[in-house]
Amino acid sequence: IRNRGVLHPIVVRKDPDGGYQIISGHRRKRACELAEIGTIPAYIVELSDDEAIILMADANFYQREGLLPSEKARAYRMKSDAIKRHQGVKGKNTIDEIGEGTSDSAATGKRFIRLSYLTDNLLDMVDEKKIGQEPAIHISYLTEELQEWIYDVLEQSQVNLTSDQAKDLRKIGEEGYLDKPKIWEILMRTIKKKRKYTLKQEILDKYFAEDAGDDYIQQTIINALDAYMKTGGGEL
């Protein structure tokens, strides 16, 4: 901006109390101040409060890359609330309009709106990728008090919150039976990993005919293991 000036004018609207309110272009204005440039080109538009909010949210998505989940969540929530108040003016469905002006679908926008119901502490953990978005969405349905308890336990235990754990926390919380001891119990629960083992071809060829089917091979191995266990071999 110091070398070439402002290539894209900012967007403003008249302020009832005098002067102008910036709708899009806060960073360009700040850059002009740092470059000691006293004037900035601007488009003056007539917008209602809700229309201004929608345009500000869309400009945020369009002009900035790498937005944090918390930034997207708050922008989508702000836009959604404004659209609901402005509903019917354009004859469109609120859900359809959420993703307009962004590269996200309406469904993605809804997911980010849900994240906006998280407490600031938990939303920070989503930004820092300490909590995945799917489990965070389940937690967002709980009260602020329960969310803060969950945050406290997560901070103390340093465990990773899984989607299954989050679903259980949400279910028990919505039933009214969630407290800190129960949160500890759920978060400390060991999830059994699914195991899968594939026998090498040369091993199968050693014990089974070439035309032996998968079901036959599996049942034969199970029978052999059962026979081994009956001889007192114990768990392998």
Side-chain angles (χ1 to χ4, degrees):
I1 284 178
R2 180 180 287 114
N3 294 334
R4 301 188 181 186
V6 177
L7 301 180
H8 301 286
I10 65 173
V11 179
V12 302
R13 68 170 181 164
K14 287 185 177 181
D15 191 323
D17 297 326
Y20 295 89
Q21 178 188 34
I22 296 177
I23 305 301
S24 172
H26 294 83
R27 288 173 179 76
R28 278 165 282 171
K29 174 180 176 291
R30 178 58 181 153
C32 285
E33 292 171 349
L34 295 173
E36 298 182 347
I37 296 174
T39 60
I40 186 170
Y43 293 118
I44 303 173
V45 296
E46 292 185 10
L47 296 171
S48 67
D49 289 346
D50 288 335
E51 288 171 332
I53 288 171
I54 293 168
L55 182 56
M56 278 191 285
D58 287 346
N60 219 17
F61 287 115
Y62 179 72
Q63 295 171 2
R64 293 182 58 196
E65 294 182 1
L67 288 172
L68 293 171
S70 61
E71 293 174 318
K72 279 196 170 189
R74 293 179 180 120
Y76 270 123
R77 174 81 174 274
M78 181 175 67
K79 181 178 179 179
S80 176
D81 290 345
I83 290 174
K84 286 176 182 176
R85 291 192 297 267
H86 204 59
Q87 183 121 25
V89 175
K90 296 181 182 179
K92 293 183 180 179
N93 184 283
T94 304
I95 302 303
D96 296 334
E97 290 184 89
I98 289 174
E100 287 186 0
T102 78
S103 59
D104 294 327
S105 66
T108 299
K110 285 179 63 180
R111 287 172 61 84
F112 277 110
I113 290 171
R114 192 62 247 173
L115 288 177
S116 73
Y117 290 90
L118 287 170
T119 60
D120 289 342
N121 284 329
L122 288 176
L123 203 46
D124 286 343
M125 295 186 85
V126 175
D127 284 344
E128 295 162 5
K129 298 184 178 179
K130 293 180 179 178
I131 302 178
Q133 289 188 23
E134 185 177 343
I137 285 172
H138 288 294
I139 298 302
S140 72
Y141 287 91
L142 299 175
T143 65
E144 287 189 10
E145 181 181 33
L146 291 177
Q147 288 188 39
E148 282 305 302
W149 287 355
I150 291 169
Y151 169 76
D152 290 341
V153 175
L154 286 171
E155 277 289 280
Q156 294 177 51
S157 64
Q158 297 296 307
V159 299
N160 293 321
L161 178 65
T162 68
S163 293
D164 287 341
Q165 289 170 332
K167 288 176 185 176
D168 286 348
L169 289 169
R170 176 182 172 182
K171 181 176 182 294
I172 297 171
E174 290 178 337
E175 291 172 348
Y177 300 112
L178 193 62
D179 54 19
K180 265 200 172 180
K182 192 64 180 177
I183 293 171
W184 272 102
E185 178 189 328
I186 291 172
L187 293 184
M188 293 297 103
R189 185 177 62 206
T190 301
I191 300 176
K192 198 168 185 178
K193 294 182 179 179
K194 293 182 179 180
R195 293 181 293 181
K196 184 178 180 181
Y197 184 80
T198 303
L199 288 174
K200 295 180 179 179
Q201 186 64 45
E202 54 265 32
I203 296 176
L204 291 174
D205 291 343
K206 182 178 178 181
Y207 296 101
F208 297 97
E210 188 175 341
D211 59 351
D214 291 344
D215 291 341
Y216 172 77
I217 292 173
Q218 177 177 286
Q219 192 57 53
T220 302
I221 293 173
I222 291 172
N223 292 341
L225 289 172
D226 285 342
Y228 171 80
M229 296 286 282
K230 288 178 182 177
T231 63
E235 185 176 350
L236 296 173

